[in-house]
Amino acid sequence: APVSARVIDTKGDDIIINMGRDNGITKDMKFSLAQSSNMISSVGTEYEIHEDAKGLYKVTAVYPHSAKLKPVDLQNNTLNVDVDDIVTLE
């Protein structure tokens, strides 16, 4: 199964994820983004969906329990990245 992590913070062009060195994350690994949103079904049940977003994000710094990612290409900025979005190792 692909390795996935959750976005826990965004700062400028940086994305902070909830996995780090202790999880085997290393500098220069690349991740793709799936944006999450909450939907409500026709019977009123709330559920979360994830939609793939364009762009790749590269690990630029690794800490024991988190890592910092930056967009690989400047056209894919982090303006639309939110906490709880999912990144998946490429």
Side-chain angles (χ1 to χ4, degrees), residues 8-60:
I8 56 173
D9 199 5
T10 58
K11 293 181 180 180
D13 282 341
D14 296 332
I15 299 171
I16 311 300
I17 61 171
N18 68 343
M19 293 177 73
R21 188 177 315 114
D22 291 355
N23 305 102
I25 304 298
T26 59
K27 198 169 178 186
D28 295 328
M29 283 182 157
K30 291 185 179 152
F31 287 83
S32 59
L33 177 73
Q35 294 181 306
S36 65
S37 55
N38 291 326
M39 303 295 284
I40 298 177
S41 71
S42 59
V43 295
T45 308
E46 189 172 338
Y47 60 97
E48 189 175 58
I49 63 166
H50 298 279
E51 297 181 47
D52 291 338
K54 287 184 178 179
L56 281 177
Y57 299 84
K58 182 168 72 171
V59 177
T60 58

